[in-house]
Amino acid sequence: MTYLFPIEEGEFWWGGSTGAAVCPLTRDSAYRENFLDECSNQTMPLYVSSKGRCIWSENPFAVEIVDGAFVMEGADIELVQAGETLRDAYLSAMRAHFPCDRRALPDEFFRTAQYNTWMEFTYRPTQEGVLAFARGYVAHGYRPGIFIIDEGWHGRYGDWRFDEARFPDPRKMVDELHEMGFTVLLWVVPYVCPDGEKFIRSIRPDIGGKKEAEKGLYLRTRTGEVALLKWWNGYSAALNLANPIDAEFLDEQLQALMRDYGVDGFKFDGGTPHGYTNTNVVDGELDTALTPHELNIAWNRFGSRYPFHEYKDTWKGGGHNTIQRLRDKNHCWRGGVDQLIPCALNCGLIGHPFICPDMVGGGEWSFKANPNCRADEELFVRMAQCSALFPMIQFSWAPWEALSAENARLCAEAAALHADMAAEILALVREAEQTGEPILRSLEYNDPHQGFAPITDEFMLGENLLVAPVLEKGARQRRVAFPKGRWIDANGREYEGRQTRTLPAPLNTLLWFRRV
């Protein structure tokens, strides 16, 4: 069914997906999404407006803006006038459709910077390298925190044991990371290589897989065969985490990693709705009553049983207090670092307050194995500064290796600022756990109808902290729009609200202000 919702003059909309920095939307925006086929990063069937209106459906739909109106193809899509402001629209939609579950999240995610091995090692981490990476952060003044050993620590996908050739004594490694003060997470996906020992044993009743074979472990085709699905690393069987036998199969492996090696939790990657469609099946069609979107929901719900977790691809997960990370960004100024704030603002307005920006430098960066890979040092520093006052910040390429000593020091200062502000950030986390309100907010959310809706390069942290990072190459000053009130910067200088000022911002400076 087709729905037509005209956009009013001067109205701004947020919602849909965080995969691209397109919001806020206006009647003149060039915009098209098809959530029936693909959901990018965090995605909700929701749009909220600066004029207090909200659009919601329980189901995925396709949407585009044509001649100043939303044109939507789907079922049971409704437009509601919920109030007069963006905050009215969001709170009304949240309370009606995805009230927060009030789950408490571990302080460790927010208290200090996080560290991830992906950009340092890509597919080839080793025990010696991981420990050296962690020691390097401590040696350069970073405070220990969440430490994610990303892809490559394992053997075959789905056979979740350490690769003994590269990790000869994983218990010793994890113990040493704990002694340094780190909390250790491992990367996993819902895919199982069809030539690995775990897969073979699980489909062979004669060698130990009777229970799994009888109950139909893995997604199957209509002929009853295990379905092989295409994903970014090849072809694998896929788990259906809505099926108790699949969930038990994976949970037993993850619990063993926690029990035997002291691992604290897991980064849950993959499981996108698109990955579960028949177009990705090697031969045949899936035999499941669940839609691809419901399979993604089951994957996300499975991982949330672990207090220490991270997710990136989430359909209709608003209201569930989980750790979410923005998708990998390019190592560039346009289409890279400039996307962090608008994507994060949108994320909060679709029910995900607990957001981590992409890894500092950008996770879509050319791999370190590429000899031509060189860091734009200014971009690296500005991305660290931009991320410093997000609810979370994550590093993945050692700044002391990629940058000059001075620029590496500036990145360490950004991490230190985040840690110094931990008490205030954690207070906002505790509040958001109960209310579901965004932690990182657009100026329009806090101070409506003051002309702030188009601003996507500043943000509010809660009600009273204004952050204005530099996101343009070579810039050493920037314009700052101040909402109502009186504002004090990090050096004690005062500024009156309801004005725009051009302020100096050398490379060693992040502009941020407190409303008093």
Side-chain angles (χ1 to χ4, degrees), residues 55-112:
I55 297 172
W56 171 263
S57 175
E58 292 291 342
N59 308 300
F61 50 74
V63 54
E64 61 180 319
I65 293 177
V66 180
D67 296 330
F70 284 115
V71 179
M72 297 181 166
E73 296 288 341
D76 301 320
I77 306 173
E78 62 177 10
L79 170 65
V80 175
Q81 184 73 53
E84 302 298 326
T85 68
L86 176 61
R87 194 173 202 163
D88 291 341
Y90 172 74
L91 291 176
S92 175
M94 184 264 292
R95 290 164 181 161
H97 303 295
F98 50 96
C100 67
D101 58 20
R102 301 193 174 186
R103 173 188 180 180
L105 295 167
D107 290 359
E108 287 86 343
F109 283 107
F110 312 98
R111 188 182 292 132
T112 67

Side-chain angles (χ1 to χ4, degrees), residues 38-261:
E38 180 60 288
C39 302
S40 180
N41 217 179
Q42 297 81 23
T43 307
M44 285 280 281
L46 169 72
Y47 291 87
V48 290
S49 127
S50 60
K51 293 193 174 184
R53 301 199 293 168
C54 56
I55 297 172
W56 171 263
S57 175
E58 292 291 342
N59 308 300
F61 50 74
V63 54
E64 61 180 319
I65 293 177
V66 180
D67 296 330
F70 284 115
V71 179
M72 297 181 166
E73 296 288 341
D76 301 320
I77 306 173
E78 62 177 10
L79 170 65
V80 175
Q81 184 73 53
E84 302 298 326
T85 68
L86 176 61
R87 194 173 202 163
D88 291 341
Y90 172 74
L91 291 176
S92 175
M94 184 264 292
R95 290 164 181 161
H97 303 295
F98 50 96
C100 67
D101 58 20
R102 301 193 174 186
R103 173 188 180 180
L105 295 167
D107 290 359
E108 287 86 343
F109 283 107
F110 312 98
R111 188 182 292 132
T112 67
Q114 302 174 11
Y115 313 95
N116 183 303
T117 64
W118 173 244
M119 293 308 302
E120 186 72 9
F121 303 103
T122 58
Y123 293 97
R124 294 170 292 277
T126 64
Q127 180 167 327
E128 180 180 356
V130 165
L131 287 172
F133 188 56
R135 294 186 196 114
Y137 278 105
V138 174
H140 287 85
Y142 291 77
R143 301 176 212 184
I146 297 290
F147 190 95
I148 300 173
I149 304 177
D150 213 288
E151 186 168 3
W153 62 270
H154 46 84
R156 294 286 195 272
Y157 298 109
D159 194 350
W160 299 117
R161 295 175 292 183
F162 279 95
D163 181 337
E164 295 180 358
R166 285 180 287 168
F167 293 86
D169 193 346
R171 180 80 211 201
K172 182 180 179 182
M173 177 189 68
V174 174
D175 286 346
E176 184 170 339
L177 290 170
H178 284 160
E179 289 170 5
M180 284 188 273
F182 293 101
T183 300
V184 183
L185 280 63
L186 299 178
W187 176 95
V188 295
V189 287
Y191 310 118
V192 182
C193 281
D195 63 346
E197 178 185 351
K198 185 66 70 172
F199 177 85
I200 294 169
R201 293 184 65 86
S202 67
I203 64 169
R204 289 281 302 275
D206 56 319
I207 57 173
K210 183 176 180 180
K211 177 177 66 173
E212 291 85 352
E214 288 178 348
K215 294 189 177 181
L217 183 68
Y218 309 120
L219 286 170
R220 303 277 174 151
T221 67
R222 297 194 177 190
T223 61
E225 298 296 325
V226 174
L228 294 186
L229 273 66
K230 182 179 181 180
W231 60 296
W232 66 84
N233 279 335
Y235 298 87
S236 298
L239 295 171
N240 170 8
L241 278 306
N243 183 355
I245 191 66
D246 291 54
E248 181 183 357
F249 173 79
L250 181 54
D251 186 56
E252 285 179 349
Q253 295 188 69
L254 303 189
Q255 292 290 344
L257 290 165
M258 299 172 75
R259 179 185 65 247
D260 298 340
Y261 304 109

Side-chain angles (χ1 to χ4, degrees), residues 15-21 33-35 37-44 272-274 293 296 312-315 325-329 339 343 346-347 350:
S17 170
T18 63
E33 298 267 20
N34 188 350
F35 304 135
D37 291 337
E38 180 60 288
C39 302
S40 180
N41 217 179
Q42 297 81 23
T43 307
M44 285 280 281
T272 64
H274 179 69
H293 299 75
N296 171 265
K312 179 175 63 66
D313 296 295
T314 305
W315 162 255
R325 182 176 67 83
L326 292 180
R327 70 182 302 176
D328 298 357
K329 305 300 182 187
Q339 292 192 351
C343 287
N346 207 34
C347 201
I350 58 172

Side-chain angles (χ1 to χ4, degrees), residues 419-472:
D420 290 343
M421 298 290 286
E424 291 186 62
I425 292 172
L426 282 167
L428 293 169
V429 169
R430 298 285 89 89
E431 181 180 347
E433 288 169 349
Q434 299 300 311
T435 66
E437 287 205 77
I439 297 172
L440 192 149
R441 304 173 179 178
S442 69
L443 277 64
E444 178 71 20
Y445 188 89
N446 283 345
D447 295 273
H449 309 314
Q450 303 298 312
F452 298 133
I455 295 176
T456 60
D457 61 353
E458 297 180 34
F459 64 88
M460 300 289 299
L461 185 65
E463 293 278 355
N464 297 312
L465 289 178
L466 173 67
V467 186
V470 171
L471 302 175
E472 294 185 10

